[in-house]
Amino acid sequence: MEQIKIPDGYQSSLNLHDTQIAIKTVKDFFQQTLAQKLNLLRVSAPVFVNPSSGLNDNLNGVERPVSFDIKGQSENAEIVHSLAKWKRYALKKYGFAHGEGLYTDMIAIRRDEDLDNIHSVYVDQWDWEKIINKEERNMDTLVSTVRNTVRSIYSVLRKTEKYMAVQYDYIEEILPREIAFVSTQELVDMYPDLTPKEREYKVVKEKGAVFLMQVGKTLSNGERHDGRAPDYDDWELNGDILVYYPVLDIALELSSMGIRVDENALDQQLTIAGCDDRRELPFQKAILNKELPYTIGGGIGQSRICMFFLRKAHIGEVHASLWPEEVMKEAAAKGVQLL
């Protein structure tokens, strides 16, 4: 576990009461603008699922989900890590058509998270998903779809920053006009001697905002840039939206998204990841049997968004969670008020 790092001289411009108002201001404006931009309808979503459904996000495959028994049911329930898979199932069940999509407030518990300034056991994000055509699944069209969607989401980020800068005098606009597109392999070629996180920092410090493409695939150095489950994102057509965050001098990931696997990509990625046992789970079997719609989707961190736009130094300043005693003491000593 990393210790928190509070910049020298940091002081929040908002007290706890006004922070709550500002959090609602950010969330209301961002989600309304996002829904309009991407043609998304808000839906209700589960906090927990049956493990045997295959709907839970397995993340890197080593994180332990929180599970609990339910009176009168034979199978324990699992609290979701994310709704990456559930959304695709919901699009079919709820009768969405091509070009339509959904978004929802996702609440998760990630008990094995390494805690620091931007990571918490409590995770909240807007999970969104949208239907595309099978005919669009050629490489040129898919790359164009991803880039256009990324630019749309980034335009919402910029509009939100502009809006918050009008509401609060201390907030200045820092996002660049355009977001850059860089692949994980290009990063390896550019900075072969750096770690993945160091590469992210270098490119984001230079560009200001980057969509880092193709996360999860094995690169020329024999390594993966970062872990990504094999059964939702197509590793050739996904990525993360990263921005430079001067308050902490870091590359801050605000969103993870991409084209979702079709039957061919899922077949290949399950084999590569050594997860062939998942082929018999209901969700994965439905994809292999071409029973679910082809989609693009992702998650956008709610607390990360609030932290960025309110210029906070710790994610605990924008959501309530549990922290080790030493973190609480250090935060208090440096005047950081954790919720």
Side-chain angles (χ1 to χ4, degrees), residues 199-210:
R199 292 180 201 127
E200 289 182 0
Y201 173 79
K202 288 280 287 188
V203 72
V204 172
K205 182 72 179 290
E206 175 187 350
K207 304 290 187 181
V210 170

Side-chain angles (χ1 to χ4, degrees), residues 291-333:
E291 296 170 355
L292 293 180
Y294 300 102
T295 63
I296 181 173
I300 303 171
Q302 293 191 21
S303 291
R304 293 275 184 95
I305 292 285
C306 293
M307 183 180 175
F308 178 80
F309 289 124
L310 301 183
R311 310 305 190 229
K312 298 287 191 176
H314 196 282
I315 201 164
E317 294 180 271
V318 294
H319 77 217
S321 185
L322 294 178
W323 307 97
E325 187 64 28
E326 60 268 25
V327 170
M328 300 287 289
K329 289 181 179 178
E330 185 172 353

Side-chain angles (χ1 to χ4, degrees), residues 7-26:
D8 292 338
Y10 170 79
Q11 184 176 4
S12 175
S13 298
L14 301 174
N15 60 30
L16 290 179
H17 178 274
D18 292 344
T19 293
Q20 295 300 308
I21 296 173
I23 289 171
K24 185 176 188 302
T25 302
V26 171

